[in-house]
Amino acid sequence: MSNSTNTPQTPAGTKRAAAENFIGTAWVTMLAGANPTDCTVGDVTFEPGARNNWHSHPAGQILVVTAGVGYYQEKGQPAQRLRVGDAVTIAPGVVHWHGAASDSLFTHLAINPNVSQGVANWLEPVTDEEYQAAHG
């Protein structure tokens, strides 16, 4: 028998994502915040047309799409259209963005490992032109 204590974590509530890092409206519910595994999990919902700025993660990130249609794009690469059940593994330091299609909500789990290395390095906004090109 293990001597460890397994304490369920209750979400701290849904909060609007930081406006300085997003275009449009997105909502974040932390499902697993700070914990001994050094991994966080957030449930993120983007309203139609919303997306985050270009950014990277020091330890990488995994996205798992749970609802709607959206896009993921790495800097210098074509955008990928994402649907329910799709998963994206993002290597450490890769500059990218993700967000909703213009006509759909988009929800994904954001799994962030090794958060003691930092969670995100936020960069410039995704331009309307870059966003529209993703729909091409």
Side-chain angles (χ1 to χ4, degrees), residues 55-62 72 74 89-96 113-114 117-119 121:
H55 64 285
S56 65
H57 303 276
Q61 185 179 55
I62 298 170
Y72 166 80
E74 294 180 3
T89 301
I90 305 160
V94 171
V95 175
H96 66 281
N114 301 315
Q117 295 179 24
V119 177
N121 297 318

Side-chain angles (χ1 to χ4, degrees), residues 2 13 23 34 43 51 59 89-90 92 98 117 120 130:
S2 171
I23 295 172
D43 184 41
R51 68 253 188 203
T89 301
I90 305 160
H98 33 103
Q117 295 179 24
E130 290 169 321

